[in-house]
Amino acid sequence: MEYPQIDRYAGLASPIHRWDPRAKLVAILGLIFSVVLITDLKMAMVGLAVAILLVLVSRIPFRFVLGHLAGVSFFILPLSVIILFSYHQGDEIARFAFLTVTSGGLEHASLIAVRAFAAVILIFPMISTVRFDVTMKALERLRVPVRLVRMIMFTYRYIFVLIEEVQRMLRALTSRGFTGGMNIRTLITTGKLIGMLFVRTLERAERVYRAMLSRGYEGNLQTLVEFKMRKTDLLKAAVLIAIAVALNVL
Amino acid sequence: MREKAISIANLSYTYPDGTPGLQGICVDILRGESVGVIGPNGAGKTTLLLHLNGIFVSKNGNVEILGKKIGKESIKGIRRDVGLIFQDPDDQLFMPTVFDDVAFGPINMGLPREEVIRRATQALRWVGMDGYEKRLPHHLSVGEKKRIAIAAVLSLNPEILVIDEPTSNLDPRAKWGFIELLRGLTMTRIIASHDLEMVQALCERVIILDKGQIVADGPTERILVDVELLQAHGLAPDNQAGQSHKQH
Amino acid sequence: MHISDGVLSPQVWVSGYVVTAALTAYVLTRKTDIAELPKVSIVTAALFVASLIRIPLGPTSVHLILNGLAGITLGLSAFPAVLVALILQALLFQHGGISTIGINAVILGLPALAAYGLFAAGTRIGIRGRYAIFGGLAGGTAIALGVLFFSLCLLTTGEHLEDVIPFVVVAHLPVIAIETIVLGALAQFVARVSPQALRGFRPR
Ligand SMILES: Nc1ncnc2c1ncn2[C@@H]1O[C@H](COP(=O)(O)OP(=O)(O)O)[C@@H](O)[C@H]1O
Ligand SMILES: [Mg+2]
């Protein structure tokens, strides 16, 4: 079970790290939404190039990015392969036994894959270059509804606490001979384990709530944050927004 | 005579599921006193502490803090006056950063920004954790978390500190460092624990709680040497091995 | 069952955002007491962490989805809980996508609400083993409905994805079975060790 470590490179120095988190969020989100709207393969490739360029500028190691692409790859690669063989348009360009690939199919499969990878790679300059607690505060300053941001904040905080708890429970199970093989027993044991986690979490939730009450909680969850927007922050945002627009109108 | 900091009269509490928590508790604690509440697991220590700043309010009995009865109008002030520190610091450090946590109380009190920052900074200095403002709770050791939890309460300038099991899960060095820290605080202190070493080091008075009732109350030097009393309430090992089985 | 960016047509993912925004706003502002918010969040964290547990399946392993569990344990708040979990999965682990957060929340969150209804209604019937039965049913149904919504998205998005649907369905059949068994065992266990936990924690 892995701890989230998306912001482990937040301490590096780069123009993207120095960028005001609010401007950065807005601009790169703009770019992500622009990339997914692209319908032309060449433009999508340009989008992918921009994404990779931003990662390079941010100095985030590329192998860190690649390590995080498994989830998307598991989804996108099979999907593109199915499209490649099932969507027929234009000239036939290859044939394997009873499967044919057409130029239209190749182009469409590539378009989907390139858009998907461009979008997911853009998450890194956006999220990995700031500490996640700061990202959450930036979201709040951007007027994302405060209740939602608070939920994200508490959930994020307790993910770490509960991962430890689950690891302790799993260790205890293993020491009592639980092997986790592929059988019904494993599923039943897992169900009980999660049930136990849930019962303990409810108790913890109650204790946390008491701790909040005892420090005067009445529903107010302000935090103090200092963000400063400089001209260069806006300039960087303007450049990326211009690219985002260009990707879809040119 | 010193003023009463806490006055509890005839307090009983039963959990919603029917588990008895406290029965007929009567006790006065004076300003500036440092009192240890000891007792075996499940004795009701935590339940008692939760009554001291109105997290639990029982219809049976009366709890007065600094002369004010706990009730709807007084609750806000009482929560400021009584700082409650929970056993598991992960229950208490719920905000994203150390600073946010220490500032949580002052912000809820509606203090202006500068005052919030001043108090948070000062509280962190008191517990020797200055420089930790931007740190994340999940990257701290248990000892550090416990110190931050104290700071999060000190930032409210409480008159009374109520601490649940301060030394649980601490290694000896962290424990004695923590005891030193608590010794340096001068407000009224109530410390629940079954760590007699710590109680000896910090408290002038000891209350023994068992099965929700107060079974002894007196000066530390008298209670902690009464081996039979301690044994009877599971606070000291029995002389003859094997005997403990029969008792339970 | 997390759709990534770059696959769906804007009509589909924009609709996803509209539905998600409306439902979330309704539940969080009308149906959630601000005092309950920390508790809902901490249970959400537990769901998130539980979904990191890997279940062996053939040569690989799968993560649990547990949207049914969200429904059983959180009632209406399951919808924002699923949304928050998806936001965090997209941002922290790059499961799913950014433009698809809304539609993914619909795909998993509506079935969570259905699981809640099914479990709440079913466990009122006084038969033996009702927690195991309806816990399992809720768990399996939540996944099956998710697959259905997922397939509908692929079908209506107009990006020539119809041929993907059979693969999606087949790939999820074992997941339906797994979640049925896991949630059945879970519900029965919780009903035994802490019966109030299955009732006590649902905002009105
Ligand atoms: N939320 C609860 N619901 C029901 N019973 C509880 C709850 N919390 C504590 N108890 C019970 O109340 C008694 C006193 O518990 P507690 O005050 O936590 O003891 P201590 O802190 O001395 O170990 C125990 O029997 C415990 O099982
Ligand atoms: Mg206790």
Side-chain angles (χ1 to χ4, degrees), chain B residues 42-113:
Chain B
K45 302 182 293 292
T46 303
T47 312
L48 176 62
L49 301 195
L50 289 171
H51 279 88
L52 298 182
N53 73 354
I55 302 299
F56 287 176
V57 183
S58 180
K59 280 174 228 83
N60 303 314
N62 194 18
V63 180
E64 280 181 21
I65 306 293
L66 301 167
K68 284 171 291 191
K69 185 171 159 45
I70 292 189
K72 272 226 157 47
E73 310 79 50
S74 62
I75 197 80
K76 197 162 179 165
I78 283 173
R79 287 189 176 154
R80 189 175 49 220
D81 290 336
V82 181
L84 187 52
I85 295 145
F86 290 73
Q87 176 172 2
D88 181 349
D90 279 325
D91 294 344
Q92 195 163 358
L93 304 180
F94 40 77
M95 295 295 279
T97 68
V98 167
F99 179 85
D100 291 333
D101 240 306
V102 181
F104 182 84
I107 290 176
N108 279 328
M109 278 166 63
L111 294 176
R113 185 187 178 88

Side-chain angles (χ1 to χ4, degrees), chain A residues 32 36 68-76 116-117 119-121 123, chain C residues 1-7 85-105 108:
Chain A
I32 290 175
V36 301
H68 275 78
L69 296 188
V72 169
S73 309
F74 275 129
F75 182 82
I76 282 297
F117 282 105
V120 68
I121 290 171
I123 293 179
Chain C
M1 227 187 304
H2 295 22
I3 303 181
S4 72
D5 284 315
V7 175
L86 285 167
I87 292 173
L88 286 172
Q89 277 165 348
L91 295 183
L92 304 177
F93 294 131
Q94 288 69 52
H95 288 280
I98 301 291
S99 60
T100 50
I101 286 173
I103 191 71
N104 282 335
L108 294 177

Side-chain angles (χ1 to χ4, degrees), chain A residues 131 133 137 153-154 157-158 160 204 207-208 210-218 220 223-224 226, chain B residues 50 53 55-56 76 79 86 88 90-94 96-97 100-101 108 113 134 136-138 152:
Chain A
R131 277 237 317 245
D133 55 290
K137 286 171 189 162
M153 208 164 90
F154 286 129
R157 166 73 184 96
Y158 281 94
F160 292 87
R204 184 186 289 280
R207 294 196 305 269
V208 171
R210 286 177 195 156
M212 297 178 77
L213 282 183
S214 81
R215 285 196 274 153
Y217 178 64
E218 288 172 338
N220 173 2
T223 52
L224 299 183
E226 200 103 11
Chain B
L50 289 171
N53 73 354
I55 302 299
F56 287 176
K76 197 162 179 165
R79 287 189 176 154
F86 290 73
D88 181 349
D90 279 325
D91 294 344
Q92 195 163 358
L93 304 180
F94 40 77
T97 68
D100 291 333
D101 240 306
N108 279 328
R113 185 187 178 88
K134 293 206 166 156
L136 306 172
H138 55 264

Side-chain angles (χ1 to χ4, degrees), chain B:
Chain B
M1 213 185 90
R2 286 189 286 181
E3 282 172 74
K4 285 181 197 167
I6 297 174
S7 173
I8 302 175
N10 215 1
L11 174 68
S12 297
Y13 181 81
T14 308
Y15 279 96
D17 66 354
T19 315
L22 297 173
Q23 292 167 33
I25 301 286
C26 291
V27 65
D28 286 340
I29 289 166
L30 304 181
R31 260 184 198 253
E33 262 191 314
S34 174
V35 181
V37 177
I38 63 177
N41 288 329
K45 302 182 293 292
T46 303
T47 312
L48 176 62
L49 301 195
L50 289 171
H51 279 88
L52 298 182
N53 73 354
I55 302 299
F56 287 176
V57 183
S58 180
K59 280 174 228 83
N60 303 314
N62 194 18
V63 180
E64 280 181 21
I65 306 293
L66 301 167
K68 284 171 291 191
K69 185 171 159 45
I70 292 189
K72 272 226 157 47
E73 310 79 50
S74 62
I75 197 80
K76 197 162 179 165
I78 283 173
R79 287 189 176 154
R80 189 175 49 220
D81 290 336
V82 181
L84 187 52
I85 295 145
F86 290 73
Q87 176 172 2
D88 181 349
D90 279 325
D91 294 344
Q92 195 163 358
L93 304 180
F94 40 77
M95 295 295 279
T97 68
V98 167
F99 179 85
D100 291 333
D101 240 306
V102 181
F104 182 84
I107 290 176
N108 279 328
M109 278 166 63
L111 294 176
R113 185 187 178 88
E114 281 65 39
E115 179 65 7
V116 171
I117 297 175
R118 197 185 65 75
R119 291 230 192 160
T121 316
Q122 192 179 44
L124 283 170
R125 200 166 331 118
W126 270 332
V127 301
M129 290 279 112
D130 34 345
Y132 276 61
E133 283 83 354
K134 293 206 166 156
R135 297 281 289 272
L136 306 172
H138 55 264
H139 288 160
L140 303 174
S141 71
V142 188
E144 289 169 332
K145 283 187 207 172
K146 289 232 172 189
R147 283 170 179 262
I148 308 283
I150 299 260
V153 162
L154 289 181
S155 63
L156 285 160
N157 279 346
E159 305 234 359
I160 303 170
L161 267 192
V162 176
I163 317 175
D164 201 358
E165 311 267 6
T167 53
S168 63
N169 293 324
L170 292 182
D171 62 37
R173 187 187 342 178
K175 170 174 149 175
W176 287 105
F178 200 64
I179 289 174
E180 274 317 302
L181 166 68
L182 294 180
R183 212 204 298 273
L185 302 170
T186 53
M187 54 284 267
T188 313
R189 281 164 296 170
I190 292 114
I191 301 173
S193 182
H194 40 227
D195 178 350
L196 302 186
E197 225 179 12
M198 177 205 49
V199 170
Q200 174 107 54
L202 287 175
C203 305
E204 66 216 28
R205 175 177 163 198
V206 172
I207 294 170
I208 300 186
L209 205 61
D210 198 1
K211 304 198 180 76
Q213 293 173 319
I214 293 183
V215 293
D217 181 350
T220 307
E221 64 270 14
R222 208 187 70 216
I223 302 264
L224 290 193
V225 296
D226 190 342
V227 179
E228 266 172 38
L229 177 67
L230 295 178
Q231 280 173 348
H233 300 288
L235 290 161
D238 291 332
N239 299 341
Q240 289 137 325
Q243 197 129 54
S244 60
H245 296 296
K246 273 184 231 147
Q247 286 185 347
H248 293 271

Side-chain angles (χ1 to χ4, degrees), chain A residues 43-62:
Chain A
M43 276 302 170
M45 301 270 209
V46 175
L48 181 61
V50 171
I52 293 172
L53 187 70
L54 285 175
V55 172
L56 292 177
V57 172
S58 75
R59 304 220 170 99
I60 291 169
F62 221 82

Side-chain angles (χ1 to χ4, degrees), chain A residues 80-94:
Chain A
S80 326
V81 171
I82 296 168
I83 293 172
L84 188 63
F85 289 116
S86 65
Y87 174 56
H88 295 152
Q89 200 190 39
D91 309 328
E92 181 180 316
I93 52 176

